[in-house]
Each structure stands twice: as structure tokens, then as C-alpha cells.
Amino acid sequence: MTMKVHKVSSWSQHEQRNTTKRHGKNKWRKKIHSLDSTLLSTSVGTANLEQLIPKREKPTLKLLKKLYTKPIPENSCAEERKVMATSVTFAHVHTNGGTELDDRNSSVDSQEWSEYAKCVLQNGMESSTLPKTNQMEEDGLHFHAHFDHTHNRAVLVMKQGQVLCFRGKCLLTCLYGHVEVLGFTIEEGQQPYPLFSPPSHCPLTITALGNNAPSGKNKKEGLLEAKAIVRKYLSSEPSKKLMSELDSDSCVVLLEPLDTPLTRFLTSFSELSEIFGLNSKELKSQAAVYNPVLSAVGVTALRGPCAQGLVMSRSYREAISSLLSAWAGEFDRCPIILVCGGKSSGKSTFNRHLINSLLHANVEYLECDLGQTEFTPPGCLSLSTVTEPLLGPPFTHLRDPEHMVYYGQADCQADIDRYLESLKSIWRHVNGESPVIINTMGWIRGHGFQILVDLIRLFSVTHVVQLSFGNAPQCQLLTPDFLRTAHGWQTHPPTPPTLTEEPVSHLSIRSHVFLSVQSEFEGAGTSGEMQHQRSNELRDLALLSYFSKLQSPEPGPIRPLHCFIPYQVPHSAVAIGVTHCEVAPNNILYVSNASIVGLCCLSEKVVGREGPVVLSQTPICQCVGLGVLRGVDMARGLYFLVTPVSPSVLRHVNCLLLGEITLPKILLTKQHGVEGDLPYVTTDYSFEVQGAGKLHIYKGLARPGFIKSTN
Amino acid sequence: MKKKTVGKTRHVVAWMNKAEYEHVLEYLFSKEPALQKHALHRISAWKGRFGQSTPVAVDSTADLVRCQVLDSTGQLEANDLVLLYGMALVRFVNLITERQQKRVARPLRRLAGNINIPEWVVNLRHDLTHRRLPSLKWCRKGCGFVLDWLHQEYWSRQMGSQLTEDWNSSSEEEDEEEFAKRHEEEQLRRQKEIEAHKKVRELLISYEREQFQTYEELAKQRGVWPDASADLSWILTQIKHFATEARDVLIDVLMQDGFLIPTAEQLESLDIDPSEDSVDMFAPCLPQVFLHFWLPCLKVLNSSIFINLILDKLFAELSNEPSSHRTYYIASWISEILLCNSKSELKAHKRLKISKERIFMNRLQFPWQNLISTCVNAPCPATPFLLRQILSDMDKPLPHDAQQNLLRLCSIYTQGYHENTSPGPSDPTQPVYTLQNLQDRLKSNTHSSNHAPRSVQAPPTEDLQEKLSAETVQERNFALRGSAWSVCTDKVPWKQYPLGKVPGQPEDPSCLMVECYSTFTVFDQQVELDQLPQHHGNRSGPLQSRAGGADGPLWTHSDLSKLKAGLQLF
């Protein structure tokens, strides 16, 4: 242990050296550049070796932290460290010059880096102990902001390197300098971006990158400009303190309260009133920083261990940077990136980060995860073109995809063939000019793993990012070598494995680059236990978010679903089918009434004689959105449907698919204004009664070894 | 003010309402294959709604009933049926005990025993999975037993049903003799009850006769009510004796017209004006004479159990919405009893002058909370009046605010008695039904006596009902033109219709059954791998899967299953 501490202090001696940590990535780029399939297995080995390094250093950091009574939040000292020219050099880090890519990436900074930096810093001022660090903590957490009452908005001045880790929501405009949020850099002059940081996910951080375009401007001019901007956006004279905080390297951002139909709709439910508040853990550890200006715009700054933001491991950053360089033209094909990993291994966050980093051009996103979808309600497979950054969890940025197929269930185990066929039909709509990110399910065992093998083959994936956590990977690594012999669900290795000699060179041309990422954030691999973190709650949030599009954009009363004027269509004009189970056709309306339906378009014309047109099997067809079949008029033979899909699209719908994706319960149990009993809602159902619960599966039921089986 | 359970959580279930649940329950256990099949079809829809949260009991019942239905067709051989029954039984035993499993597996026999599943059923399951297949006879027996078990343990207990007794009477195992015996017992009991009723009536009538005589004498002499005569004492002893034996019957009879509720004739003979104009419906009070008439009888009956029972009975009668005459007297009696129990003894003394005139002396403990709820559950014009009495008498009074709110709500519901100042609603033609009405009412109350015509009043500011302008509707319909879709233009207040309900929809659980339907089969839905776009065209070599050509079959498994699914044999 002492030796390691010594090692840390030795780094501090290099402090003055003018190299930056981002060079670590360049080495990686080089490596990937020179990558060829024969070397792949060895390079994987290196990656693993390198992953060990951060792990080894962890105890040291903990030890150092213990020297202080309070842990120091990284956003204070860590970032200062950055300003002071970070010079941490590793024996294995090359020091070549940075590129424009690295500039964008310098924000891709993290936990470990800041921790290293912290160590160095702490070593540098060993004598100054408690009081000094406390001082620093306060400095780092003191956000200089001014609230403008007339316009109901706040101007926040951030020192270069300062980090605001927060819960809540707001609309952010960068007025001066650059800030970075989840891999996306926002510059002055860009449009306002909505930020959502609900307790369901890792909190967002706004990192001030400073003003790195000082060409032709000296510091003084910069400062004057910044001051002018601050004054311009405030109707009253800002406080001296705020102005004194300003310098040419500062960032100035405008924060406005965010009030959208989505936020209004969600918070109209008492169960979700705290959906933009703090989670229970943050409340318990009193992580909120009191700042009246920030809270006026709906932002609560966090401190302490809860204010970590996104934790990026070394392998994580390296993977991102190598993918960036692949897109930058250093790879001979437009990248098709498949991201996989077990449940809660951080796929979704990695994807968002990657998308945000790649967003200087459009990115195509193929959703293969049915449960936790990024842009659509659950149960849908889709292809989306992403043009806007993703600055919040999925339910805050639902958007219409390019192409979508309604699968109807939150997992694909019931019909793997239909799942794969659906994806193939979607793949036809990939335009081929932008990088494609393929998100996959957390199901990585058994058939789930076979599906991954299929996806890599079917879509000729160029990069596979496999996220894992803990000491052992959750499944076999999907390396090109492994793919050579692996059997998928539909696809199989091309040649019998006995003829190994010849086809190797042939195959190597098309093999993919394999990137292994070790997730090191707290709680990796364990699904969220806190409120709004469970997967079914997130699915409900996504559905609520989808149906919030019905609400009028102008502020006004929030309307429950049943208050909307429905569309109507004759039973005989649309086909109807159930995707997930067999339902007696004469009872079809019992399953569809007050249910969610996928609004689909069959190429064939649907003409029924009389009564409903029941599908004999589930078709694979385009889905344009979801609706709620709010009622059935038996006398006139009409379906009544409530949907946010626009009428010009709805006109093409001739097929309604029912799935296991059910209406969020609160949409049924809370229907204001209704007199009398609510259908499908009861207070009399008792779960005390035997057999009243759903199928209960005990995984890993242990057999008592010493007791002989009862049979 | 109707019985509405506030604290209970709302669950989402697959049946639209209780009627649908009971409909399926009835058909499932009807022993009539056609009806059972009907129920199974409905359950298939329920499973579609429930998805993965289908209750285990519903699932198991459906499987077992399906076996019985298939068995009844007579088209399956015994060996086929054993397999069918077997799967249903194995699944039942495993699934129903699954909930009880903890970390370490425990023997099924013990788990089943905890929930009254006998060992032979568990053994049957073991035979099915590990040993020689049991005979069809055993399977049928097992299925019959398990279905009865499910009927009793799940179906009859669910949804607040109290059908356990019914279940016993319809039990398959019950033999004729048993049934006849029970029937006989039942008849005997009823007979006894009728006898008792007769006797009590006679007793009370003789009491009334005796008391009336006393009254007539009294009227001549203008004196006070004398102590009980010998005859009366004898009758009273009889009544008292009876009260211990058949209290319920006595209370029942007292509640009938002509006893505690006087007929018009009786009132006239007691020189009381029977017309309703003479009384204040909002503040009922027993005529002194009438109270005195019954006092001797009630005094002998006075016990805390009796008083509580009669109070319950009075409220129960009140909730049946009796005639206004009955309502008035029932409310009067309630008021009288409450008054006797009043905390403010002094006040009561003043009013009644002598304690002799009270039904009972010692303050009783009423179940106050219950009393409030029974009182509001039996709304009548006098409810606010009674409620006020109860509230002021409670041992642990409710907070003042709560009292006021309760009283106000109560007044609104019963449409009258506004505080002491303004009796009657300010405008009886505008009953308060909705929040909007209430707001209007409050408004008009604040501008007291300034009754603005309804049309002038501001329209509701917050209406949840979506309103589309004619242009929007036109725009949408234009966009939909040429398709089968249109915006619903019926003048329907949708906000009153919850999801799953439309105007004119009957409550009948069969209202959504489809009589005729057509089947639609979609062909040509598969995507040929070869047709997949080649990303960037710089892909070399053939695709790895099906393109392998000669190596494997031309059609994959999935293709074949697709083809099969598309086939229609008839």
C-alpha cells in the first residue's frame, strides 16, 4: 500500500509537464488503426491488462480519502487540476499531439481521471488539511447565478472546469464559452437544449469547458464580451459578485424552467410528482445543495458521493474514442456499431454518450431492445435518425422513428423468428451514409446470445462493444475469432470448422473490431431498486411520455386520456390481432377494449364483410405509433381510438396489433370526471386469496443437499 | 355518501366489472361443456389483457376446465386425456405452491398441506412427472377435486364474494340425504322464526292496547302517566323475557309499522296531528305523548346491547329510503336515543324535566366512528341534524374543521338544512350534484340573495373535456379523407365515459361478444436475407447464413413454420 502511495506522489512531480491525459486515447486510436484480425486476440489481451490498472489503484484512492474526514467531490479540485495543466503520465501512454477530435473529447473525463488528479493535488499540498479542503468544497459547489424575475430565468457563471451535477430539469442555452453535457458540447450561439435529470437515472452534469476560441481576442476583450452578455440577459444589474466571478475563460449559461406537455402530464399524477426530484438515496445523504436561484429554474445541485455523474472507466473512454476515430474516416467503412452487454451494464448510457459524441453528423440508431427502448414506447423495434443530442433518459426524448415494427412484448423469447424477421425488415431502411448504432437486449444467455451472433452477422457489424461488469464477463466475448465458429439462432458459421486453414484470410477482411468495456459505476449489473428505476416503471414512464403528446402544447388543464375526442373506424376496415397469446376470435373485443394497440399498415387492403377482421397470425409490418382503443361501439360497428399519431399518418393504418404492453395502471385507475365505476378497475381484488398472484418464478431455488428428494 | 371504499387500493383486472367475473365463474363451474367453453374463450381474452400477470388460479382453472370440456366430447382416447389432465394437474400443484417456496426448496407435500391440498393430489403429481402415469380415473378425480378447491379457495373468495356457503351447497360430493336433511333443518328454523314473530306481535299489540287504555283515562283526568298496572307489568315481564330469547325478532317487529312507527290512526287516537306539514323534517322530534306511550316497554328492554342493536336497526331501516312518514319517526327515535345518551346531562334534564321520561339513564358507549358512517350511509333530510348530535356527543370529538366539513357535505347531499340561519337550499331548483354546482352555490352564497340567472354565470374555467374547433375537425377529417378513419363527431361528453366505455354500452357481460367475424391472413411478410441492402456496397463475399446454398435446406425452420401458419385447410 505504501508503495502505491509513493507512486501517486511521484506523478505529482510530473505536474509541470505539458501533456494531457487525452493522449491516452491517441495511443488507442493508433492501435486500432493498425489493427488487423490476426492481432485482435492479443490486443484484447492488452485491453484487459490495462483495465487492471485502474482497479489496482482504487485502494490507494480510498486510503487517501480516508485521510480527510469528508470526501472531496471531484468537481472542485479535479477540475482545477485540469486547468493547472494535467500532466499525469503513465509509462504506457504515448505523448503525441492532440487532434480536433480530442478537443471535443476532452470532456470525456471521468471519475478516475479526476481521482488521479485529486491525488496529485492532495499530494501537492499535503500540509494543508481539513480547512482548506472544506473551503475548496464550498468553492466548487458555490454556483454563481442570478435570477431574472421579469423573464423567469437564471444566468449561471461557471469557472472553467467547474461541474454542476444536478437533478431536475431545465432549458439550457450557452451564452458564452462551451459546456459539455453527457458527451455533447454546447457552444455559444447554439439553440437552447432541454436537460432532464430525473432520479431514475444517473444524474446529468454540466461541465464548463471554458472558451477555447480566443483567436484574435485577448483576455480583456473576452472578459468584456462576457460581461456584456451577462448584462444583456438580465433585466436588472447583476450583483458585483457575479461579475467578479467572470473572466475570459468562464462559461455563461442561461437556465430557464422547462415546462412541456410531458412534464405537466407526468407531474399531474401524484405518484410521479417527484419525478424530477431527488431519489431516496440522495435525500438520505442530504446531497442537495441549497441554491435558491437554481431551484427557481427547477435544478437541484448535488454534492458529495451522489454527485458523481457518469462514471467512465478507462476502457469506456477508450472505446468511445476509438469509435470516434472510426467515424472520423480512419476506418475504411462507415461504422456499424453493435453495443451489447447484460442487464444494467450501462448499454443505454453508453449509447447516449456515443450518439452525443458522434452528433456532428446524423446517426442512425437501430433499436433491438424491446424492453428499454430509447426513442419509442416499449415493445417496438425501430430505426431512428438522430439529429438532436440526448440529454436525459429515454422517456424524455421519445420521437418518431424512421421505421418501426410493433413486436408487442417487452422481450422476444416468445417468437425469436418474428423478432429477427422484424429487424431484417427494418434494416432495409438504413440509408448507409451515417454511422449506425445497434442497441441490443440485456438477454445475453442461451438464445439471447445466439441472437447477438445473428445480429452481428446479419447486419455486417464493424464494431462490437461488449460491456461487462464485475470480475468475470457475463458471457462469451463476441470476438471475431469466436464468431468464426459460433452458431446463431438463424445463422451458422459458413464453413465446417475442420477447414481452418484457407478461409481465415478470407474472413478476416470482414471481421469486426471488438471493444470490451468494463463498467465500473456503482450498482453495475444490478437493476435499480429505487422508485422509478425498476424496468416496468420505466416502461410505464415511456408510455406516459408517449401519450403526453396528446396534451395541448399550450399550458392548460391536463386532460386524462378518456377526455379526448377519439377517432373512429369501422370494424370491417381494419384488421385486428393479438401478438402474444391465442385469443378466441369471438372474444377479440374483450382483449382490445381499453387496451394499447400498435397502429400498423399492411400492404394488402383489409376488407371485412361484417364484424371485426381477425388476423390469423401476427404480420410483420410497419407500425406508425400506438393508440388506446378507448371503446367499441357494437351497434354501429366502430372502434374509437385515441392516439397522438397525426391524422395524415393515421389514414394509412389498417391493422391494430395488441400486445403485452399494457396501459400504465394509473391511466386506468385515475380517470377524473367519471361518475360511476371504472371498467377493469376494482378495489375488491384480494391478493390474500390463494392463487391470486401472477406466476412466481424462483430463480436458483436451492435443493437441500442432505434431504433426499421428496419424490 | 354512498358506500365508497376510500382506503382500498385500486387494482387493474381483466374483467370489466364484477358482473363479468361472476358470469365467467358461473359458466366455469356450470358442468355444462358449452357454457364452460364459453368461459374458456373469455379467459383467453383475460389472459391477453393480464399478460404475464395472469393470476395462477385463473390459469390453472382454465387448464383443468379445458380438460373436462375435451373429456366430455368423447372424441379423445383415455391415453390422450391422461396426458392432458396430467399437464394441467402438474402445473396446478407446482404453480400454486410456488409462492410459498423460500430460498431452499421445500417438499411440495408440506407446502400443499399448508393450503389444504391433500397428499394424494401431490402424489398424483409425482406419479405424473416421475412414475407410471396414473389411470384416467385418478386424473378425473384429481381434476374434480382441484377444481372444487379452486372454486372454494379462489373464485368464491375473490372480488368480495361471500359465496362460500353456496359452494358448500353445490358441492359435488354432497349426497341427497345430506341435502334433504339440511333442507329440513332450514324449514324448521324458518317455522320457529315465524312463530316467534307472531308471538311478539301479539305481545306488543296487547301492550299497546293496555297503554292506550291508560292514555284514555289519562286524557280524562289530565294527570301524569301512572306506574305500570298489574296487567302491564305482566306484559312487560313477558316482553323482557322474550327480549333475551329472540332479541332480533323483537327488534324486527318493533320496527314494523304500527309499533315504534305509528300509523296515522294510532296518532289520531293519541291526539297527534298525523299530517306531515306539522313536523319539521329537518329536526325530527318524537311527540311527547307517543314517547310516553312506549317508554315503559323500552325501559324494560334497556340494555346496552339492545340499544346498540336498535340503533343499528333504525339506521338500517333509514338507509332503505322509506316513506317520509317512516323516515320521520325513525329519525325521531334515533334522535331520542342519542339525546338520552347526551353528554350534557343538565340540558337533557331541563328538556325532559324528570329522568323518568328517559329511556335509559346511564351513558352508553357507542361505536362512534361506526355510528358516523352508518349515519351518513343512511341519508335523509334529518341526517345533518342527527350527525350534529353524534358529533357533539362523541367521547373523542373530531377536529372542528372535520366536523364542519362533514356537516356541510351532509347538508349538500341531503339538499337542505343550511346551518341554523337559512333552512333549505338557497334555490331548490338547482340541486348540487357536481363540483361546478357547488362552486356556483358558493358564489351565490357570497353574493347573498343576489340570484343571478344561470346563463350569466361564468362558464367553467377548467373543463377537462377536449374541445375541437370546427376547423380542427375539418382539418383532421380532410387529412383522413379517403380512408376509413374519421374524427368522431358524435356529441358525446367523453369525459363522463371512462376508457373502455362508450355511450349506450350495456352492463351485460356479453356486450362485447362478436357474432360474426372474418379471418385475415397476411402473406408475403418475410424479408429475404439476400434482399437486405448491402451496407456501403463494399461488402465482399456472400452472406453467411442461408446463402450457404447447398449446405442446408433452402427453407429454414422459420420459413417452414411461416408457410404452415399461412396454410388454411378449410
Side-chain angles (χ1 to χ4, degrees), chain B residues 92-127:
Chain B
F92 165 76
V93 174
N94 280 17
L95 300 185
I96 206 80
T97 53
E98 193 69 54
R99 285 255 150 202
Q100 295 184 65
Q101 289 286 14
K102 296 277 148 46
R103 292 276 311 276
V104 176
R106 291 194 291 161
L108 282 182
R109 193 182 292 117
R110 198 187 313 155
L111 299 180
N114 293 342
I115 50 174
N116 298 322
I117 295 173
E119 197 172 331
W120 70 267
V121 176
V122 179
N123 287 338
L124 194 59
R125 177 251 177 224
H126 291 332
D127 286 350

Side-chain angles (χ1 to χ4, degrees), chain A residues 432 457 460 590 630 636 686, chain B residues 158 490 497 500 509 536 539 544:
Chain A
R457 290 220 182 98
S460 39
Y590 282 91
R630 75 95 66 226
R636 289 185 290 166
S686 161
Chain B
Q158 203 46 273
D490 304 346
Y497 294 90
H536 297 283
R539 290 287 317 262
Q544 294 156 4

Side-chain angles (χ1 to χ4, degrees), chain B residues 67-253:
Chain B
C67 295
Q68 286 191 336
V69 171
L70 285 167
D71 196 350
S72 72
T73 59
Q75 289 175 344
L76 291 172
E77 289 171 28
N79 289 334
D80 304 348
L81 287 166
V82 170
L83 291 178
L84 285 168
Y85 277 119
M87 183 53 119
L89 286 168
V90 169
R91 278 183 68 80
F92 165 76
V93 174
N94 280 17
L95 300 185
I96 206 80
T97 53
E98 193 69 54
R99 285 255 150 202
Q100 295 184 65
Q101 289 286 14
K102 296 277 148 46
R103 292 276 311 276
V104 176
R106 291 194 291 161
L108 282 182
R109 193 182 292 117
R110 198 187 313 155
L111 299 180
N114 293 342
I115 50 174
N116 298 322
I117 295 173
E119 197 172 331
W120 70 267
V121 176
V122 179
N123 287 338
L124 194 59
R125 177 251 177 224
H126 291 332
D127 286 350
L128 282 159
T129 49
H130 309 288
R131 298 177 191 172
R132 272 189 58 197
L133 279 177
S135 66
L136 177 58
K137 219 171 169 183
W138 271 109
C139 285
R140 283 181 180 149
K141 197 173 160 62
C143 177
F145 177 88
V146 169
L147 278 176
D148 284 340
W149 186 93
L150 283 164
H151 191 178
Q152 186 181 30
E153 295 290 326
Y154 178 82
W155 292 91
S156 300
R157 295 198 178 167
Q158 203 46 273
M159 295 295 289
S161 303
Q162 298 299 324
L163 301 171
T164 334
E165 282 177 4
D166 294 7
W167 181 77
N168 279 335
S169 61
S170 68
S171 169
E172 191 187 15
E173 262 77 34
E174 194 172 82
D175 50 355
E176 292 268 298
E177 208 176 315
E178 184 82 11
F179 182 74
K181 204 170 139 197
R182 189 169 311 150
H183 186 72
E184 215 177 277
E185 275 172 16
E186 177 74 8
Q187 283 215 319
L188 207 69
R189 201 178 53 80
R190 204 165 287 165
Q191 193 61 41
K192 267 186 193 163
E193 210 166 276
I194 292 167
E195 288 294 314
H197 260 92
K198 244 186 217 164
K199 201 171 170 195
V200 171
R201 278 186 75 93
E202 274 167 19
L203 259 177
L204 287 176
I205 288 168
S206 58
Y207 169 84
E208 282 184 321
R209 204 175 291 137
E210 196 68 28
Q211 277 294 78
F212 190 66
Q213 260 177 22
T214 323
Y215 170 77
E216 281 196 319
E217 281 163 28
L218 214 68
K220 283 174 208 154
Q221 296 163 10
R222 303 205 162 269
V224 287
W225 287 79
D227 286 336
S229 65
D231 282 349
L232 190 66
S233 302
W234 187 82
I235 295 169
L236 286 175
T237 335
Q238 291 271 69
I239 292 176
K240 190 170 183 176
H241 175 73
F242 211 89
T244 52
E245 225 170 58
R247 195 183 291 119
D248 294 341
V249 178
L250 182 65
I251 291 174
D252 272 356
V253 176

Side-chain angles (χ1 to χ4, degrees), chain A residues 334 432 457 460 510 559 565 568 587 590 593 614 630 636 651 669 671 682 685-686 689 696 698 702, chain B residues 10-11 42 49 98 105 153-154 158 464 466 481 486 490 497 500-501 509 518 520 536 539-540 544:
Chain A
C334 199
R457 290 220 182 98
S460 39
R510 286 186 289 106
R559 294 201 168 89
I565 292 173
Q568 63 182 44
N587 275 269
Y590 282 91
N593 192 25
V614 184
R630 75 95 66 226
R636 289 185 290 166
R651 58 172 296 136
T669 55
Q671 302 190 54
T682 179
Y685 195 81
S686 161
V689 173
H696 198 254
Y698 261 107
Chain B
R10 294 177 173 193
H11 296 291
R42 184 63 52 81
R49 296 193 79 86
E98 193 69 54
E153 295 290 326
Y154 178 82
Q158 203 46 273
L464 292 177
E466 186 191 34
R481 212 174 44 170
S486 62
D490 304 346
Y497 294 90
K501 228 171 204 165
S518 37
F520 193 76
H536 297 283
R539 290 287 317 262
S540 56
Q544 294 156 4

Side-chain angles (χ1 to χ4, degrees), chain A residues 54 115 163 168 186 272 283 286 301 360 447 482 502 515 544 574 632 648 695:
Chain A
E115 274 182 336
V163 175
I186 305 171
L272 299 175
L283 287 171
Q286 297 184 316
H360 45 98
H447 295 315
F482 176 75
E502 219 190 336
L515 300 164
L544 290 173
V574 288
V632 182
S648 55
L695 200 82

